[in-house]
Amino acid sequence: MVKHISVLIKPASGLCNIKCQYCFYSDITSIREVKSYGKMSLKTMTRMIHQIFTDLSDGDELTLSFQGGEPTLVGFTFYEELTNLVDALCRKKKVAVHYAIQTNGTLINDRWCQLLKKHKFLVGLSIDGTPLHHDLHRLDMKGRGTFQRVIRTKKLFDHYEIDYNILCVLTESLAKEPKAVFDFIQKEKIQYIQFIPCLDGLRSHNKHDYSLTPESFSLFYIQLFDLWFERFHNGQYYSIKLFDDLFNLFIRREITACGITGRCQVQYVIEADGSVYPCDFYVLDEYRMGYIQEKTLKELFEQEISFAFLNEPKQYSDYCATCPFEHICCGGCKRMKDVMYVSKSGHFCGFQEVVGYFLQHLDDIVRIRQSYSVM
C-alpha cells in the first residue's frame, strides 16, 4: 500500500530575524524549558533523513516542509546538503519527494530562488493583506516594517516562476477590511492565499486585542466570499484556501485542512534538536514523543504519548448540540476554538455561519467550476 508521509521540520527552531507581535511559535517557545534549540546540525539532519526513509518503500510519497521561526536562518548550505542526500536516497528507493517552506521572505535572494526552483519547492510567503496591516505587526529587529522587502521577494518568485502561496495572518483589525484585502489580492495578482486566524497565547493570561474573534472571522469570510464569488462568476478565479477546503470536503469528500473535521492527526513536527511532536500548535515539553535520532517515525507514532494526544477529551459547547454541522466539524480544531468557532457568549459560531453561507452557493460554485474546468 502506497504511503503518503508529511513531516514538518523546524531547522532553525524559533529563531527569527523579525519580531512579529502575534507570533504563535514565539508564544509556544516561551512556555518550554528550552526556548530555542538553535540551528539543526548537519549531523542531526543526516540522521533525520535516513530515519524518515527507513519507513518508506518504493512508490511512497514524502513531503518535507520547513517552518520556524524563520527556516532560512539555518543557512543555504543546509538545504543544499539535505536535497543532495534526499536525491541520493531516492536513487535507491523510488520515493516521490515534495518540498515546501514557509518564510517571511526578507532573506531571499537570487541564489535562494535558484535552489527553490531547482527542487520545486512550494513556498508559503507571509504577507498580511495590506501594507498598513503588514507593517503594523511584522517588524524587523529595529522596529521597521518589512512590507517592501517582502514584495521584492514576491517579484523574485514571479521572475523565477516559483510556485508560492501567500500566507496572511487574519487579525481582528484586518478582518474588518475584506474589500481592502481583496483589492490587494487583485492588484498583486495573487492566485493562492491562505488566511491564518490570529491566536491568543496558549496560556489563559496571554490575551491580545489583535487576536481574532468568531464574529469577525464570520464577517470577514462572508464579505470576502461575495467579492470572490462575483469575480469567479465573471471568469476570474482566485484560490482562497478555506473556500477550497470546504469545496473539497463537501464535493470531493476529501479532507485538505488539518482540524476542519475536528479530528486531530499526528503531524510529525521535528525541532532543530531532533525532538518530535504531534502538532505544530503543541511543540511543548509534555508532548515530546521522542527523538528522530533514536526512533523512526513509525516507532514514534506508536508511543503512548501519541495516542494520548489523539484521544484528549474535547470541550464541546452546548451550542454545538443544536448545530446542523456538528457531525462535520465535531467542535472544530481545539487550538482554533476561541477564534473561529463558538463565541464567548455561547450563542454564536463563526464557522457555522461561514459554512452555511458557503453551502447556499455550492450548486453555483460547482456549475461555474465545471464550466471553467477548475473542478
Side-chain angles (χ1 to χ4, degrees), residues 1 82 180 195 219 226 297 323:
M1 182 177 179
L82 183 144
F195 295 98
L219 285 172
D226 288 340
L297 292 178
C323 177

Side-chain angles (χ1 to χ4, degrees), residues 10 58 142 364:
K10 293 183 174 289
D58 286 353
K142 295 183 178 179
D364 287 332

Side-chain angles (χ1 to χ4, degrees), residues 5 9 73 137 199 201 210 216 244 366:
I5 295 178
I9 302 163
L73 283 175
H137 297 293
L199 298 169
Y210 41 75
S216 295
D244 290 345
V366 171

Side-chain angles (χ1 to χ4, degrees), residues 28 95 144 153 205 242 245:
I28 288 173
V95 174
R144 300 171 301 189
T153 294
H205 66 274
L242 180 61
D245 291 334

